[in-house]
Amino acid sequence: MASKEIKLVISDLHLGSGLLTEEGEYNFREAFSEDSTLHSFLQFYRTGKYLNRKIELIINGDFFETLEVSEYSRSPLEMTAELACERIEQILDGHPLVFEAFIDFLSSPEKQIRFIPGNHDMVLIFPEVQEFLRKRISPKLQFSVTSYSFLDVYIEHGNQYQLCTNFDLDNLTK
């Protein structure tokens, strides 16, 4: 009997540019301090009894804290693909253990990672950002625009239901 695929869903981790600044001082903008816990979580589902199981990690928005990585030279609502890639790179550099775990997890043919953007990482809609992440982590990365469904399950970040965090889905980029 074939085993069923496992779907893991995480949300709102808000990874920033790391706990310390380049000067070695505490980074007050960083909200995530559980790198080793996330690494262990992915390692657990990559090995042992899960080694050959088909597993999809679904990251349901606000994984990347692109709004609070650094100061803005203009409005945060004026995000470009180039600026988004710079901010994502800061986040990758600030959390090497997490992204090492992503690479290890995706090295198995049975493992998959899918991103659903949230209001803090809506930049994931840019094809340039998706390509940047695929080059840095794995070409296997998958991206959904606003939601993801399988069987009778519907996953959405939920920011579209609040006036202060929703986006005009017909005009995401201008």
Side-chain angles (χ1 to χ4, degrees):
M1 179 174 163
S3 59
K4 294 183 180 181
E5 180 177 4
I6 296 172
K7 304 280 190 177
L8 305 170
V9 182
I10 61 175
S11 180
D12 290 273
L13 298 185
H14 293 271
L15 275 73
S17 57
L19 289 174
L20 300 176
T21 65
E22 290 179 7
E23 296 78 26
E25 297 175 3
Y26 173 74
N27 180 4
F28 69 91
R29 288 187 171 91
E30 181 59 63
F32 187 77
S33 62
E34 296 297 328
D35 295 56
S36 61
T37 303
L38 184 54
H39 183 274
S40 295
F41 173 78
L42 290 172
Q43 183 70 8
F44 178 80
Y45 283 104
R46 189 180 75 80
T47 60
K49 68 180 182 179
Y50 298 105
L51 180 65
N52 296 312
R53 296 285 304 269
K54 189 171 183 178
I55 299 176
E56 181 176 28
L57 173 65
I58 302 161
I59 301 174
N60 187 25
D62 293 357
F63 183 78
F64 297 103
E65 181 50 79
T66 60
L67 299 180
E68 292 287 334
V69 171
S70 60
E71 294 292 327
Y72 285 90
S73 58
R74 57 182 182 249
S75 167
L77 299 177
E78 296 178 26
M79 184 67 72
T80 65
E82 181 181 3
L83 179 58
C85 287
E86 289 172 15
R87 287 175 175 250
I88 295 287
E89 184 166 31
Q90 289 177 292
I91 295 167
L92 294 175
D93 292 345
H95 296 276
L97 188 63
V98 169
F99 297 105
E100 173 189 305
F102 276 26
I103 291 166
D104 290 346
F105 186 79
L106 290 169
S107 68
S108 167
E110 297 297 321
K111 308 300 187 268
Q112 181 60 54
I113 296 177
R114 174 179 302 277
F115 286 96
I116 302 169
N119 49 303
H120 288 250
D121 55 12
M122 188 53 78
V123 299
L124 293 172
I125 65 153
F126 287 120
E128 299 91 338
V129 170
Q130 295 175 13
E131 186 59 30
F132 176 78
L133 285 167
R134 286 184 177 118
K135 284 180 183 174
R136 288 286 303 265
I137 298 170
S138 170
K140 290 175 56 177
L141 287 177
Q142 297 293 313
F143 298 87
S144 295
V145 176
T146 59
S147 63
Y148 179 52
S149 298
F150 57 91
L151 302 174
D152 289 334
V153 177
Y154 176 80
I155 301 172
E156 177 180 9
H157 184 65
N159 56 280
Q160 288 302 102
Y161 300 102
Q162 294 182 334
L163 183 60
C164 63
T165 59
N166 69 4
F167 291 90
D168 179 354
L169 298 176
D170 294 325
N171 291 306
L172 287 173
T173 59
K174 292 180 182 181

